[in-house]
Amino acid sequence: AAACYEQSLAIWKEEADKPSLMACCEALGGVCYQLDEHLRSIECYVQYLSLSHDIGDGAADHQILLRLGLSNAAIGEDAVALQFLRQALSSFVHLGDLASRTVCLQHMGRLEGKMGQPEQGLVSLEQALRLREESGDLQGAADCLQEIGLIHVSEDRCKAARESFEVVRRHLTELGNQ
């Protein structure tokens, strides 16, 4: 698939068809991300944003910002990833996109905890947890609670960590029973 998108990319560049080039950059970026070719996915997403700016079509920019955040996190560029995720979150809040907002908050919380900002990480993760629970997403809630527990462990808050992990176990047991 990546090779086909690379060929299409060359054709759309030659044709100077910016909307098709944007679509191809988005698709190739996704394929590269799945193949763990994160630097290439970042290149594709940055090119997408540049084209989007050129033609004034920013309809999907918020999703691309989220993907740039995830790609940068995958290569250990946590501070850069967090910047992209914050930009994406602002758009998701404005658009009322709760699902993407939740994903963004969860990734932000994990990164904030990892970057030595445990309290901010807990705030982001607790917001994501609330949204996951409100939507009935027990697996997502368990994932959030797992991340919350890990932050508590890193801060030597054993009781709070244990409480989080116990709720994770209950959620996973309930999921197994469904």
Side-chain angles (χ1 to χ4, degrees):
C4 290
Y5 283 124
E6 290 286 359
Q7 290 174 352
S8 296
L9 205 59
I11 292 168
W12 297 129
K13 280 182 184 178
E14 189 176 300
E15 296 289 324
D17 183 342
K18 289 183 179 184
S20 297
L21 190 55
M22 278 176 56
C24 194
C25 286
E26 181 179 9
L28 181 57
V31 169
C32 290
Y33 183 85
Q34 295 297 318
L35 295 172
D36 290 331
E37 295 176 11
H38 300 294
L39 291 174
R40 181 65 177 125
S41 74
I42 290 168
E43 289 174 16
C44 291
Y45 293 143
V46 167
Q47 185 175 3
Y48 174 98
L49 288 175
S50 176
L51 290 163
S52 171
H53 183 263
D54 287 351
I55 65 174
D57 177 16
D61 286 3
H62 50 283
Q63 291 293 335
I64 299 301
L65 291 169
L66 172 61
R67 294 175 192 166
L68 273 166
L70 298 177
S71 293
N72 276 282
I75 61 168
E77 293 291 335
D78 296 340
V80 174
L82 198 51
Q83 289 176 344
F84 281 119
L85 292 171
R86 286 183 176 143
Q87 289 177 40
L89 179 63
S90 176
S91 294
F92 295 138
V93 169
H94 178 72
L95 294 168
D97 183 343
L98 290 179
S100 295
R101 177 179 166 191
T102 304
V103 168
C104 205
L105 282 165
Q106 189 167 344
H107 285 286
M108 287 173 56
R110 184 182 51 75
L111 286 172
E112 290 161 343
K114 181 179 172 187
M115 293 173 58
Q117 303 169 19
E119 296 310 316
Q120 184 58 46
L122 289 172
V123 168
S124 296
L125 286 164
E126 287 166 0
Q127 289 175 7
L129 174 61
R130 182 181 50 77
L131 293 169
R132 295 245 187 237
E133 288 176 338
E134 287 174 2
S135 70
D137 178 4
L138 290 179
Q139 180 64 56
D143 293 342
C144 284
L145 285 161
Q146 179 80 18
E147 294 292 341
I148 289 169
L150 292 173
I151 289 177
H152 286 307
V153 166
S154 73
E155 295 296 305
D156 290 326
R157 299 180 200 150
C158 295
K159 182 180 178 196
R162 184 174 37 258
E163 290 170 358
S164 290
F165 295 139
E166 287 173 1
V167 178
V168 168
R169 186 172 37 98
R170 284 196 304 269
H171 282 339
L172 294 177
T173 299
E174 188 174 330
L175 279 170
N177 292 335
Q178 293 177 355

